[in-house]
Structure formats: C-alpha cells, structure tokens
C-alpha cells in the first residue's frame, strides 16, 4: 500500500482507475439524490483525470518503453512516451467533461443520471487501461469494454434514432474486435506471444506482417472511424449525452489511431512503402469527405462528428507520411510527419471537446440540436458563443490557435514528401497538400455556417428566443478549453519539441533540432505563433489611433430602427438558413453525396435495423459487458 501513494506513474494510474470505478458505482447507488450523485461522479472524474495528467507528464519523459505491473490491480502495463501522450490527450478533455457533468447530471432524470455517471467513468477507466496495456489481449479486452460502455450511453434515450445508432455502433465494434483478435492471433502464431515487447523484437515473414497490418488497420480503423468504416460515428455522437460524445471523439476514437501507429510503426518493424501510401490515401479521403458531409448537416452534433472524421484524416496524414518516410529512409520526413500527426491528435481533443460541450449547453438550454431552429444565441449565451467561436477557428486552423500550429507542421511534412527521390512520393506530396487545403476551406465554411446560423441573426423558434446562459460549471468547461486552444497555439514554439521527442521515441530516431520559432532546422519555414498573436491584437489599435487623430467633432447619435431589408419589413424568415448556406456545395458535389446512398442501399439498412436484431444485440451487449467486467476484475 505504501507504493500506491508514492506518486509514481503506476501508483497515480492505479489511483485514477480506482477513483473512476468507485465514484461511478457510488453515484449510481445514490442517483436518487441528484446533487450528491452528480457531484460524486463529476468530482471523482476530475480527480481521476488530474491523477492521469500527472502520471502522463512523468511518462512523457520516461525514455524507452518499459513494462510494469500496476499495484493493487495487477494490470500489465507498458509506459512509453507514446502512451504518455495518449493518456494526456484523453485526460485533459476528460477533466473538463467531468466538470461539465457536475451540472448536467443534476438536471436530468434519475435513470439517466445513474447510467450516464457510471458508464462515463467506466468508459474512461477502460480507455486509460487500454492506452497503457502491455499486450494485445489486454488492449482488445479494454477496447471492447469501452465500446460496450459507449453502446449503452448511445441507446439510453431509447428512441428510433438512438436504437439505430446503437446497433450500428455495436455491429461496427464487434467487427473491429474480431479483426483485432485475428490480427493478434496471427502474430501469436508466428511469435508465440502477444506481448508488445516480444512482438517488437520478432522478425515476421513479409506475408504475415502485411496480413496482420491489414487486419489491424481494419479493426483499429473501425474504432477510429476511418472512411469508409465510419458508419457508426455521426448518429452515435448525436444520440449520446454531449460529454459522452466529446469522449468518443477525444478518447475512444484516439485509441484506434494509436493502434494504427503502434502496429504500423512500432510492433511490426519498418513498414513497406505501400502501407504508408494506403494510409495516406485513406487519410485524405477521410479528411475531405468528412468535411464535405459536415456542411450538409443541420444537427449540430452530427456536423461536429463529421468534422471529427475530417480531423482523424488529418492526423492519419501525419501517420501515413511517417510510414512513407521510414520506408524510403527519409528520417526528416518521418519525424516531421509523425510530430504533426501527434500534435494534431492532442489539439483536436481540446477544440472538439469545447465544441461538443458548447453544443450540449445550447441543447440543454433550448432542447434543440437543429441549427435551423436556433439563431441569435450570441446575445443570449455570450460566453458559450465566445468559446465555440474560438474552438471553431481552431478547427479551421486559423492562426494563432493550436489547430493552425499542428496543420502548419503537416504542410511542412507534405512539402518534404514532394522533394522525395521516389516518383510516387513527388506526385502525392502536392496532391495531398492541395487536398488538405481544400479540407481547410471546407472547415472555414463550417465556421460561417455554424456560428452564423446558430449564434447570429434572430431566433427562429420560441425555445431559442427564451434561452438563458448555461450553469456555470458547463460554461466554464467550454471556456477553459477554448483558452487552452489559444495557449497551445501561442506557446507552440516551446511545446513542439516535447511532441518531437515522442515522435523520435516511436521511430527510434534522434531528436530533431528546432529553431527559435519551433520549426525544425531542416529547411522548413518558420512561423512565429506569438508574433502572429501580437500582430492580430495590434491590428484593431491602428485604425482606432488614426480615427482618434483625424476625426473632427462627433456627429449626433443616429436613430436606430429595424434592419434594412430592401424596403420590406425584416422578419426571421429572411435570415440565411443552414440549408441555403450549403446548397451550392450540394449541387457541386452531388455525385459524392449520392455515393452515400448507393453504398448503403435502403434494403440493406432496413434488413439490418429490424426490431428483433436490435433487441437481440442489446441483450447480447448486456451479457458481454457483465462477462467482461468479471474477466477484467478477475
């Protein structure tokens, strides 16, 4: 017991897992007492998240991977800089989701409070254990447990859309788990073990390596939502509670990305070139299609879910670029690309959690998720509007925010790819850079659509007109995340070397030297985020000074009346709608939008969503969750 309180990473993680489990169970038992239950679940989640953050900060600088057994729980864990970064990327959003839950759980009915408090904490415990697992069996077990928690979070509303979303997620998760079991069974057959340290030092035949990689890519891709394996993502994020949807994007799907990195760059040795090229093509497809489909959505959480897919594609562009760099023996390309992917993986968790929590605040105060029925929310919920505007700007990679810092590094890696000596790399580099730029343009349109339609103009429904600011813990959660987006953007020159150290540890490469502006000293362009921030802050000052010096005597105050509407009386119906905003793109990319209908025929959808199948899967999920909990504790 003494070692448990020694504040080592192992003891901190053990403490966090125990707090998550105990607080979830206790909050479930006292769910009849709303304030007590919500405080136990939310405060327990925050304490556990803080413990994981402290542990992750130590693991980040721990050097090469080392195997260890967690005290008390006797769980076989592996500590490496990559695992530390993933823990940090999951725990920081989890901290603010738990703060948000303190108020949200207090405002829902007893049944929903009991289930959500328990399942969210259990989800975080399972994902944390998966992130540090030292073998394939532990990783699959914990990922399966997390996926089942996500399923029950999705279906608890018990309407038609939620049941369909839950069934899609359940079938996708089981298929992903089956692929991972086959992949690690194949590796076990060739090496005699599923322990990561053994796999890392085993020479596999090329055929075994490639088949295991393809199965792993399929399995982890289903969890990460790589297009075309993304069917469960949009409606699941819309049906689950807002803080759970934020955890899906910032934690559950990131485990899938980590799996691709671990198998593609760590466990199986140097990848062949076609692995990296395949990941790059899937990545740009996921990024572009995700951004394109997002603009067609009116449900704000479905829109954000599609943008999660876009950012999964952006992260995988870095992973695929690293794999190509290793295959072509280009260490600068590999290091820079993986650095960009890992930095964006962390940044995405910050701004996407802020967006989901902000959308949850709007939904709680209005009961509306459809942007067509909102409008004018900036005047009614100003702090939520400010947080979401900053997060949207970060998602669109506008300087000086954190999304810009990581995407700029990714552009630099694509320029490195363009200078390769291999023709296919020289061809793909510019094409991928153009694809990433188009994706950024779609994200900019998303800012105009989401913020303009939701927060500006006049309210389009009585519920929107009657909205009031959300409770303080909910507003504070999204505001603090938005502040972190600013901090991690402006301070990126000092933070990037730490992420570079993680990339170097994965690639077993020397640490890249960095210039004063945080750019690698390899010919890449330096952009000073602090200088951009200062210039942006100074821009409004110059016009004000000029106006102050040159203006004469003040004119009398003008009378204010109704907005000018070409001589007609202004009405809320004249405001641009989400449908009208996206109509030109709908026409321009009509074949791509029709592709979704052709890929999922109505007959197949109807057959899959028959009532008996959903009921059967729900019973099966309950039995499987109970069995896995017994196995995990045993």
């Amino acid at each position: 017991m003494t070692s448990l309180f020694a504040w080592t990473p192992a003891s901190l993680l053990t403490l966090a897992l125990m707090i998550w489990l105990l607080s979830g169970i206790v909050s479930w038992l006292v769910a009849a007492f709303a304030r007590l239950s919500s405080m136990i679940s939310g405060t327990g989640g925050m304490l556990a998240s803080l413990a994981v953050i402290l542990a992750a900060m130590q693991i980040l600088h721990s050097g090469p991977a080392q195997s260890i057994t967690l005290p008390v729980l006797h769980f076989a864990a592996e500590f490496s800089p990559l695992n530390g970064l993933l823990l940090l990327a999951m725990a920081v959003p989890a901290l603010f989701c738990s703060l948000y839950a303190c108020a949200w759980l207090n405002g829902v009915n007893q049944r929903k409070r009991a289930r959500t408090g328990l399942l969210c904490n259990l989800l975080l415990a399972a994902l944390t254990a998966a992130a540090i697992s030292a073998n394939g069996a532990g990783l699959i077990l914990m990922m399966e447990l997390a996926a089942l928690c996500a399923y029950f979070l999705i279906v608890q509303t018990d309407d038609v859309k939620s049941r369909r979303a839950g069934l899609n997620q359940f079938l996708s998760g089981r298929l992903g788990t089956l692929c991972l079991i086959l992949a690690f069974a194949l590796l076990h057959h060739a090496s005699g073990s599923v322990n990561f340290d053994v796999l890392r030092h085993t020479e596999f035949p090329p055929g075994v390596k490639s088949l295991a990689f393809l199965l792993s890519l399929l399995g982890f891709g289903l969890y990460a939502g790589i297009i075309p394996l993304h069917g469960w993502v949009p409606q699941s994020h819309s049906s689950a509670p807002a803080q759970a949807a934020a955890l899906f994007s910032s934690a559950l799907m990131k485990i899938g990305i980590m799996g691709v990195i671990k198998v593609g760059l760590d466990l199986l040795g140097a990848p062949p070139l076609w692995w990296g090229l395949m990941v790059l093509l899937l990545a740009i497809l996921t990024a572009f299609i995700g951004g394109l489909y997002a603009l067609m959505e009116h449900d704000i959480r479905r829109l954000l879910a599609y943008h999660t897919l876009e950012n999964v594609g952006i992260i995988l562009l870095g992973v695929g670029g690293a794999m190509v760099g290793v295959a072509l023996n280009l260490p600068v390309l590999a290091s820079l690309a993986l650095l960009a992917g890992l930095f964006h993986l962390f940044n995405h968790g910050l701004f996407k959690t802020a967006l989901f929590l902000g959308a949850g605040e709007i939904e709680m105060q209005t009961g509306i998720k459809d942007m067509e029925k909102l409008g004018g929310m900036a005047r009614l919920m100003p702090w939520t509007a400010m947080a979401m505007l900053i997060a949207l700007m970060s998602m669109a990679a506008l300087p000086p925010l954190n999304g810009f810092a990581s995407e700029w590094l990714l552009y630099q890696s694509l320029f490195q790819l363009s200078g390769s000596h291999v023709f296919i790399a020289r061809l793909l580099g510019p094409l991928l850079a153009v694809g990433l730029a188009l994706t950024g343009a779609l994200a900019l349109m998303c800012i105009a659509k989401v913020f303009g339609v939701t927060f500006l103009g006049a309210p389009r429904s009585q519920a929107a007109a009657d909205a009031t600011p959300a409770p303080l813990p909910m507003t504070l959660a999204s505001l603090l995340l938005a502040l972190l987006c600013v901090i991690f953007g402006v301070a990126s020159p000092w933070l990037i070397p730490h992420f570079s150290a993680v990339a170097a540890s994965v690639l077993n490469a020397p640490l890249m030297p960095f210039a004063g502006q945080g750019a690698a000293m390899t010919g890449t362009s330096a952009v000073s985020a602090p200088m951009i921030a200062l210039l942006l802050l100074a821009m409004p000052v110059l016009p004000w000074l000029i106006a102050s010096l040159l203006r004469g005597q003040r004119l009398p105050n003008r009378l204010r009346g109704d907005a000018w509407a070409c001589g007609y009386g202004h009405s809320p119906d004249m405001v641009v709608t989400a449908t009208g905003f996206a109509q030109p793109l709908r026409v321009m990319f009509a074949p791509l939008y029709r592709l979704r209908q052709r890929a999922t025929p109505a007959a197949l959808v109807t057959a899959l969503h028959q009532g008996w199948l959903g009921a059967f899967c729900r019973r099966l999920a309950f039995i499987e969750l109970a069995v896995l909990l017994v196995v995990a504790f045993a």
Side-chain angles (χ1 to χ4, degrees):
M1 187 61 70
T2 304
S3 62
L4 180 61
F5 299 100
W7 306 115
T8 63
S11 61
L12 286 167
L13 289 171
T14 300
L15 185 64
L17 294 173
M18 292 173 66
I19 291 175
W20 266 319
L21 294 173
L22 291 175
S23 61
I25 293 170
V26 173
S27 68
W28 175 66
L29 292 173
V30 299
F33 306 96
R35 186 174 295 276
L36 178 63
S37 176
S38 59
M39 288 303 295
I40 290 174
S41 178
T43 306
M46 287 192 287
L47 291 174
S49 300
L50 286 172
V52 173
I53 290 171
L54 292 175
M57 296 296 289
Q58 296 182 48
I59 296 172
L60 271 173
H61 303 94
S62 62
Q66 52 181 322
S67 298
I68 195 169
T69 301
L70 297 186
V72 181
L73 301 179
H74 304 294
F75 183 77
E78 181 179 80
F79 292 166
S80 69
L82 177 62
N83 293 351
L85 176 59
L86 183 62
L87 287 173
L88 194 62
M90 295 192 304
V92 174
L95 174 66
F96 296 101
C97 287
S98 299
L99 174 61
Y100 174 98
C102 289
W104 186 88
L105 291 173
N106 192 40
V108 297
N109 60 58
Q110 178 181 341
R111 182 171 178 268
K112 199 165 190 176
R113 179 166 50 249
R115 290 190 174 189
T116 305
L118 173 62
L119 289 170
C120 279
N121 283 12
L122 187 58
L123 172 71
L124 285 168
L127 290 173
T128 300
I132 59 173
S133 177
N135 55 72
L139 175 63
I140 294 172
L141 173 66
M142 291 302 160
M143 288 181 67
E144 181 73 0
L145 186 57
L148 289 170
C149 292
Y151 168 79
F152 284 108
L153 283 165
I154 293 164
V155 300
Q156 62 178 326
T157 306
D158 202 25
D159 54 27
V160 174
K161 287 186 176 180
S162 297
R163 288 196 294 270
R164 285 190 165 221
L167 181 59
N168 287 340
Q169 191 271 349
F170 181 83
L171 295 176
S172 297
R174 303 300 72 71
L175 178 59
T177 299
L178 177 61
C179 291
L180 292 177
I181 290 173
L182 292 175
F184 280 100
L186 185 64
L187 296 177
H188 181 274
H189 178 74
S191 67
S193 175
V194 291
N195 187 283
F196 292 156
D197 193 51
V198 174
L199 297 179
R200 205 173 277 123
H201 295 92
T202 302
E203 284 289 335
F204 295 101
V208 172
K209 279 179 60 173
S210 295
L211 183 55
F213 173 75
L214 290 175
L215 287 169
S216 299
L217 183 62
L218 184 60
F220 288 121
L222 281 161
Y223 278 91
I226 297 174
I227 290 177
L229 309 173
H230 69 291
W232 68 274
V233 175
Q235 192 57 48
S236 296
H237 283 71
S238 179
S239 298
Q243 70 271 30
L247 292 175
F248 294 171
S249 277
S250 61
L252 179 61
M253 297 173 73
K254 299 297 173 57
I255 289 287
I257 296 174
M258 184 208 71
V260 176
I261 297 173
K262 188 169 279 292
V263 173
L265 287 167
D266 183 19
L267 300 181
L268 299 183
L273 179 61
W274 68 270
W275 289 13
L277 296 177
M278 182 170 61
V279 171
L280 283 174
L281 293 176
L282 287 173
I284 198 63
L285 176 70
T286 302
F288 183 72
I289 297 297
L292 198 61
Y293 280 10
L295 280 170
M296 294 301 109
E297 293 294 337
H298 305 328
D299 182 321
I300 189 168
R301 287 213 262 141
R302 279 181 62 95
L303 180 147
L304 294 176
Y306 274 114
H307 270 293
T308 291
L309 298 179
E310 175 202 340
N311 284 276
V312 166
I314 292 172
I315 296 166
L316 287 175
L317 277 175
V319 177
M323 295 171 72
V324 170
V326 172
L328 297 179
N329 195 25
L330 298 173
V332 173
L333 168 61
S335 298
L336 194 57
L338 188 57
L339 160 62
L342 293 176
F343 195 24
H344 199 72
L345 181 145
F346 180 84
N347 289 334
H348 172 252
L350 298 181
F351 61 71
K352 190 50 62 69
T353 303
L355 289 170
F356 272 114
L357 297 187
E361 293 169 39
I362 294 171
E363 184 182 349
M364 184 172 183
Q365 299 306 103
T366 63
I368 297 172
K369 287 187 287 187
D370 187 351
M371 289 185 292
E372 299 279 25
K373 300 177 182 178
L374 294 170
M377 304 304 295
R379 179 173 54 85
L380 302 171
M381 303 176 67
W383 294 111
T384 301
M386 181 184 297
M388 288 196 70
L389 178 61
I390 293 172
L392 284 167
M393 292 171 64
S394 181
M395 185 178 73
L398 295 181
L401 302 172
N402 60 343
F404 167 78
S406 49
E407 285 201 33
W408 177 255
L409 289 172
L410 186 57
Y411 276 112
Q412 297 298 319
S413 70
L414 294 178
F415 298 154
Q416 290 281 333
L417 183 64
S418 304
S420 169
H421 58 278
V422 178
F423 172 75
I424 188 65
R426 291 203 306 273
L427 177 66
L428 274 180
L431 291 177
L432 293 174
V434 170
L436 184 58
L438 289 175
T439 301
L442 294 174
L444 282 172
M445 291 187 69
C446 185
I447 291 182
K449 175 177 177 176
V450 173
F451 197 80
V453 174
T454 303
F455 291 99
L456 305 181
R460 299 182 189 85
S461 65
Q462 191 59 42
D466 295 338
T468 57
L472 180 60
M474 300 171 71
T475 306
L476 194 60
S478 55
L479 271 175
L480 289 175
L481 282 163
L483 179 62
L484 286 179
C485 291
V486 177
I487 292 172
F488 274 79
V490 175
S492 58
W494 298 277
L495 297 172
I496 286 172
H498 298 284
F499 289 86
S500 178
V502 179
S505 72
V506 175
L507 300 170
N508 291 318
L511 186 64
M512 293 179 65
F514 283 86
Q517 307 300 336
M521 297 174 64
T522 55
T524 58
S525 303
V527 173
S528 174
M531 182 58 67
I532 292 175
L534 290 173
L535 291 174
L536 289 174
L537 289 173
M539 280 175 63
V541 176
L542 183 60
W544 179 79
L545 288 174
I546 294 173
S548 299
L549 292 172
L550 299 182
R551 72 182 176 186
Q553 188 175 1
R554 281 183 176 274
L555 294 173
N557 291 331
R558 299 179 181 181
L559 296 177
R560 294 180 179 270
D562 293 336
W564 170 251
C566 300
Y568 295 92
H570 182 270
S571 71
D573 297 336
M574 296 178 177
V575 180
V576 175
T577 63
T579 302
F581 187 90
Q583 187 62 28
L585 277 180
R586 185 184 291 275
V587 174
M588 187 182 304
F589 292 101
L592 286 178
Y593 290 121
R594 286 196 296 268
L595 185 63
R596 175 167 54 181
Q597 298 174 347
R598 293 174 182 171
T600 54
L604 176 62
V605 173
T606 303
L608 280 177
H609 291 95
Q610 293 178 5
W612 68 268
L613 182 59
F616 171 77
C617 289
R618 190 162 189 164
R619 295 189 185 94
L620 182 61
F622 183 80
I623 295 170
E624 188 180 354
L625 179 61
V627 170
L628 286 177
L629 285 172
V630 172
V631 171
F633 282 108

